[in-house]
């Protein structure tokens, strides 16, 4: 074999090796992207705390990992949910799609689950008549509103509730048959809409999908969510029940935390604001 032939073979081999390497890198990147998408969709997803509604349990600027499979991860585009490992329990800190805007994720503590009766008296939470422990890092920052002084922003509309004296109200449970009339309309209006119905009120009659309806069987479980910063939280007291279909996952661990009010354009102060003591903290 002459020198020209050898050089040609070497060049061909180098080109083949380069092509194989490029293909291997492309395959590795595709696999990594698929693996990341699977992990993000079904197992773990990062979440940033944007507000102070969960202070001091969670602070604005905390970055969390959220366990998505524990309550049954949702299959993208299909709307199906995988089997759950556990049900939502009182006290769980839950990430969920905000019922009034499912494009936005919220994080709150579950205060009452489906079938339980919730009442707040003088800022203290009672579930099925039993007082519930206050979160160790929770706080109050406002005055107590007196009983019998309704807040027009409180759910349900036209109730006598306010943020500190609320209920009693029963959390809807799958299979419940609820009475529909003028008195209950604003309590269950959202429930029917979350479950795919159009609903309106005509006199004392509730109209569902164009026809009068006096009772309705609830199709899924609901939960009542509240922030640990009880006087500074847009939670279930203002927008009502959280449907099971909106569950995203359970807050797991803080992997990063710094002051969100400091700009990245000020790197020295930003790095100085890292809350080292919070990194790796389990959330409960």
């Amino acid at each position: 074999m002459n020198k020209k032939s050898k050089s040609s073979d070497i060049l061909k081999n180098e080109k083949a090796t380069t092509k194989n390497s490029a293909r291997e890198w492309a395959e590795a990147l595709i696999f990594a992207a698929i693996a990341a998408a699977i992990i993000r969709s079904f197992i773990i997803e990062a979440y940033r705390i944007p507000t102070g509604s969960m202070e001091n349990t969670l602070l604005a600027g905390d970055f969390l990992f959220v366990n998505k499979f524990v309550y049954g991860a949702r299959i993208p585009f299909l709307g199906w949910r995988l089997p759950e490992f556990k049900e939502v329990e009182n006290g769980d800190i839950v990430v969920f799609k905000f019922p009034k805007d499912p494009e936005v994720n919220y994080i709150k503590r579950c205060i009452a689950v489906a079938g339980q009766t919730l009442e707040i008296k003088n800022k203290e939470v009672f579930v099925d008549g039993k007082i519930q422990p206050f979160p160790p890092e929770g706080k109050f920052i406002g005055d107590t509103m007196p009983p019998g002084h309704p807040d027009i922003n409180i759910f349900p509309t036209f109730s006598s509730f306010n943020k500190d004296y609320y209920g009693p109200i029963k959390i809807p449970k799958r299979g419940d048959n609820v009475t529909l009339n003028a008195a209950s309309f604003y309590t269950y209006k959202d429930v029917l809409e979350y479950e795919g119905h159009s609903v309106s009120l005509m006199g004392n009659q509730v109209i569902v999908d164009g026809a009068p309806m006096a009772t309705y069987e609830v199709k899924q479980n609901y939960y009542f969510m509240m922030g640990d910063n009880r006087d500074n939280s847009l939670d279930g007291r203002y927008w009502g029940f959280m449907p099971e279909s909106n569950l995203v996952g359970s807050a797991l661990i803080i992997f990063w935390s710094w002051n969100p009010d400091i700009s990245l354009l000020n790197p020295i102060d930003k790095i100085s604001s890292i809350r080292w003591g919070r990194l790796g903290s389990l959330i409960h």
Side-chain angles (χ1 to χ4, degrees):
M1 184 179 292
N2 58 38
K3 290 182 180 180
K4 186 175 180 181
S5 229
K6 285 183 179 178
S7 298
S8 177
D9 289 343
I10 291 170
L11 186 60
K12 287 179 181 178
N13 289 335
E14 286 180 348
K15 286 181 177 178
T17 301
T18 301
K19 286 181 179 178
N20 288 337
S21 296
R23 185 177 64 189
E24 288 172 1
W25 273 105
E27 289 174 349
L29 289 172
I30 292 170
F31 175 80
I34 293 172
I38 291 172
I39 290 170
R40 186 177 183 274
S41 296
F42 299 108
I43 303 174
I44 295 289
E45 184 174 359
Y47 179 81
R48 178 181 63 87
I49 300 297
T51 71
S53 70
M54 285 294 292
E55 291 179 348
N56 289 322
T57 306
L58 298 171
L59 305 178
D62 283 350
F63 290 76
L64 325 175
F65 284 129
V66 176
N67 181 337
K68 298 187 74 173
F69 67 84
V70 65
Y71 301 138
R74 181 182 297 279
I75 299 176
F77 310 114
L78 296 178
W80 300 341
R81 190 178 290 278
L82 296 176
E84 62 189 16
F85 282 79
K86 69 180 284 289
E87 295 181 347
V88 179
E89 298 176 354
N90 293 46
D92 286 358
I93 296 179
V94 179
V95 175
F96 56 94
K97 295 183 180 300
F98 182 40
K100 300 300 183 183
D101 182 1
E103 297 298 316
V104 177
N105 282 346
Y106 265 34
I107 184 167
K108 305 290 180 190
R109 189 181 295 274
C110 179
I111 296 300
V113 302
Q116 293 183 324
T117 298
L118 168 73
E119 187 171 11
I120 301 172
K121 295 185 287 187
N122 194 27
K123 294 184 180 289
E124 293 186 316
V125 173
F126 294 80
V127 174
D128 291 339
K130 297 179 181 178
I131 192 168
Q132 302 299 295
F134 188 66
E137 300 296 325
K139 67 179 185 180
F140 298 103
I141 60 173
D143 296 332
T144 302
M145 294 187 69
H149 284 67
D151 181 343
I152 61 171
N153 298 307
I154 288 288
F155 170 88
T157 304
F158 303 123
S159 71
S160 61
F161 307 161
N162 62 50
K163 67 181 179 66
D164 300 318
Y165 283 88
Y166 189 93
I169 190 169
K170 185 180 178 184
I171 316 305
K173 183 178 182 179
R174 183 188 300 113
D176 280 353
N177 282 291
V178 298
T179 300
L180 300 180
N181 53 36
S184 66
F185 175 76
Y186 292 101
T187 300
Y188 298 116
K189 174 180 180 291
D190 290 345
V191 169
L192 272 72
E193 291 178 344
Y194 296 151
E195 298 187 0
H197 302 285
S198 63
V199 57
S200 60
L201 181 65
M202 295 183 64
N204 193 47
Q205 231 175 23
V206 176
I207 309 300
V208 180
D209 299 332
M213 185 175 288
T215 62
Y216 176 76
E217 182 178 334
V218 177
K219 301 301 187 295
Q220 65 175 317
N221 290 326
Y222 290 80
Y223 305 93
F224 201 93
M225 317 301 292
M226 286 177 61
D228 285 0
N229 187 353
R230 295 289 169 79
D231 293 316
N232 187 28
S233 174
L234 180 62
D235 53 38
R237 292 170 293 179
Y238 297 90
W239 44 259
F241 310 119
M242 192 275 287
E244 186 175 40
S245 56
N246 285 39
L247 285 171
V248 172
S250 173
L252 188 62
I253 191 171
I254 298 171
F255 69 87
W256 190 254
S257 182
W258 59 12
N259 189 335
D261 297 326
I262 299 175
S263 170
L264 288 170
L265 299 177
N266 189 354
I268 295 177
D269 287 348
K270 191 70 171 179
I271 292 172
S272 298
S273 76
I274 296 173
R275 304 162 180 147
W276 297 103
R278 298 185 66 76
L279 307 193
S281 299
L282 295 176
I283 300 167
H284 52 79

